[in-house]
Amino acid sequence: MYNAAGQINREQLVQRFAPMVKRIACHLMARLPASVLLDDLVQNGMLGLLDAIGRFEVGVGAQFEAYAAQRVRGAMLDSLRENDWLPRSLRRSCRLIEAAIAQLQQQTGRAPTEKELADALDMTLADYQKMLQSARGHQLVYLEDLISEEGEDFLERHQVEENCDPAQLFEDESTRQALVRAIADLPEREKLMMALYYERDLNLREIGEVMGVSESRVCQLHSQAVMRLRTRLAGAVDKKRKKIEKNG
């Protein structure tokens, strides 16, 4: 990967890691609406790869690949943020689902079924599942997504001290443990789907083959599972905020 002058050969590195860029893009596409083009993600990912090659000074190999993958994924996510690819109407629909999940969870003490959620939203099960299908991509969570209709930032609403680090609300051990518990409490099919996607790195088609369902059904299950997790984590953050206020 070095030329005669002992410098990193950028062209060889690009050729070697271009398949990695496409692999990351394809995996990310499974969580995005159809309006997002794979070629656009790959193009932005290649820019991230070039940036990684220019910044990395230690050498190449597994260590570089891990660093490059992070830069590639970051470049793709940055491009999505800039393009504001998720319509506000869809964000509102997803918030309605999350509110219904939270309400039913509190009432029943368990994860609500799809039929229960559809009834709570006063729609048919088929329409609810269509909404889940449309919600593909909502699971890419940014802090910007946590802005209220009035434009108030989530962290601004929950920050209780001037010297408090807002990121701590998300990164501390209690929140991580809340995520572990939330995943453990998912319905079995959704738990299996998440394990196949995030741990086994399977795509939606492959997961569908394992679970014996269609690719679109896997997409619905994924959207619903992530909204369940978002709801649980939001509750954990709210409890953390109240604890800080009480002790402060």
Side-chain angles (χ1 to χ4, degrees), residues 1 10-26 41-43 45-47 49-50 53 64-65 68 72 76:
M1 292 301 171
R10 295 169 62 91
E11 184 177 347
Q12 286 188 22
L13 277 176
V14 169
Q15 291 177 356
R16 176 177 173 180
F17 291 104
M20 179 193 71
V21 174
K22 188 167 184 179
R23 185 179 70 250
I24 293 173
C26 290
L41 282 182
V42 171
Q43 182 178 4
M46 292 302 294
L47 293 176
L49 175 60
L50 290 172
I53 293 172
F64 172 78
E65 184 171 359
V72 166
M76 292 177 183

Side-chain angles (χ1 to χ4, degrees), residues 106 154 157-161 164 169 172 174 234-248:
Q106 186 175 22
F154 177 91
R157 298 201 305 275
H158 291 81
Q159 189 172 357
V160 296
E161 297 177 345
C164 176
L169 294 175
D172 65 12
S174 63
V237 170
D238 192 53
K239 287 181 181 179
K240 177 71 174 179
R241 174 185 60 82
K242 290 178 179 178
K243 183 177 180 181
I244 293 175
E245 290 176 340
K246 182 178 179 180
N247 294 337

Side-chain angles (χ1 to χ4, degrees), residues 34-155:
S35 58
V36 179
L37 300 179
L38 176 63
D39 287 347
D40 290 343
L41 282 182
V42 171
Q43 182 178 4
N44 285 287
M46 292 302 294
L47 293 176
L49 175 60
L50 290 172
D51 182 59
I53 293 172
R55 290 173 179 267
F56 196 78
E57 299 176 352
V58 178
V60 295
Q63 188 176 13
F64 172 78
E65 184 171 359
Y67 173 75
Q70 183 181 28
R71 302 294 300 185
V72 166
R73 189 174 292 105
M76 292 177 183
L77 294 177
D78 284 344
S79 71
L80 292 170
R81 291 188 186 97
E82 292 170 359
N83 293 328
D84 193 21
W85 50 273
L86 195 63
R88 291 181 65 86
S89 60
L90 179 54
R91 294 176 192 269
R92 285 194 293 270
S93 295
C94 293
R95 281 196 291 270
L96 287 175
I97 295 177
E98 290 174 3
I101 290 173
Q103 182 179 8
L104 291 174
Q105 179 89 33
Q106 186 175 22
Q107 290 175 352
T108 64
R110 58 171 174 78
T113 66
E114 286 182 271
K115 182 63 167 62
E116 290 171 336
L117 288 167
D119 290 343
L121 294 168
D122 195 25
M123 60 176 59
T124 66
L125 180 58
D127 285 341
Y128 172 70
Q129 290 177 339
K130 277 184 185 178
M131 184 183 289
L132 288 177
Q133 183 74 21
S134 299
R136 177 175 171 171
H138 182 62
Q139 51 267 35
L140 286 174
V141 183
Y142 313 122
L143 296 185
E144 293 92 324
D145 290 334
L146 301 174
I147 296 176
S148 68
E149 291 294 323
E150 294 75 25
E152 183 183 15
D153 188 270
F154 177 91
L155 296 180

Side-chain angles (χ1 to χ4, degrees), residues 199-218:
E199 295 179 20
R200 300 292 182 87
D201 205 27
L202 301 185
N203 59 41
L204 299 188
R205 179 186 57 79
E206 293 168 333
I207 294 172
E209 291 175 356
V210 172
M211 298 182 65
V213 298
S214 66
E215 184 174 334
S216 61
R217 180 59 180 151
V218 176

